[in-house]
Amino acid sequence: INNTCLKNLNLRDNMLFGSDIAPIAEGLSQNSTLVSLTLGRVELDSSDKDKIHRTLRQHSTLTTLTLHHLSSMMHAGYFLNVFPSLTSLHLVKSDDFMGEIESMCDALMQHTSLEKLSVVSMVDKIKSENVKKLSGAISQNSSLRVLDLSKTEVKNDQDEEVIRKVCEAKKIQLKWE
């Protein structure tokens, strides 16, 4: 990772532990060209996460972030707040959507460069109260152009209609299969 020209980094499905994080964080701190990062199924304790987060804060070049599995929703709000340069955020197969949507929605309302938000293959259906929070955040966001909810379900048809209407009103392309 000491490659200072590295543009894309995929750390998904790596069994990384504490001793593995220091060299990754060090290498990332020397990189000024990273534009895409994928994280998921990485076993990190809170101090390891802090090391990665502190290092990544230096990257104003990061435009695409993909978070897989358990950590995705939990960190979405944080990453939106830390990286104003993000234009694309992909949250895949998270099962913690229910508890962490508020911080993501708060950040989404304020984020002015995010053009694509993908919330795909969620384990649980999105509850009605979370549909309202998500729709409110989308209606407040001024930059979102694409919302991808592929393989993600809501509790009922009325909730689906709420999302469809806010996307239509904001001229946001909605992908939902």
Side-chain angles (χ1 to χ4, degrees), residues 36-47:
S36 177
L37 176 64
T38 300
L39 296 172
R41 289 191 192 170
V42 178
E43 298 297 323
L44 302 175
D45 65 24
S46 62
S47 102

Side-chain angles (χ1 to χ4, degrees), residues 77 79-88 105-115 140-144:
F79 282 113
L80 283 170
N81 285 323
V82 170
F83 300 109
S85 59
L86 277 182
T87 59
S88 190
C105 288
D106 289 345
L108 183 60
M109 285 189 278
Q110 318 247 340
H111 201 282
T112 58
S113 62
L114 191 70
E115 296 174 6
Q140 295 284 320
N141 181 284
S142 61
S143 59
L144 197 64

Side-chain angles (χ1 to χ4, degrees), residues 46-103:
S46 62
S47 102
D48 295 334
K49 288 176 186 171
D50 287 344
K51 286 178 193 170
I52 293 290
H53 290 175
R54 278 194 312 272
T55 301
L56 289 174
R57 287 182 105 157
Q58 302 171 30
H59 292 282
S60 61
T61 57
L62 192 65
T63 59
T64 301
L65 179 63
T66 303
L67 302 172
H68 285 264
H69 295 281
L70 297 177
S71 65
S72 65
M73 193 60 65
M74 184 170 60
H75 297 291
Y78 171 83
F79 282 113
L80 283 170
N81 285 323
V82 170
F83 300 109
S85 59
L86 277 182
T87 59
S88 190
L89 177 61
H90 309 280
L91 309 173
V92 183
K93 290 187 179 180
S94 178
D95 66 357
D96 61 351
F97 191 89
M98 305 314 148
E100 300 293 338
I101 192 168
E102 214 160 304
S103 65

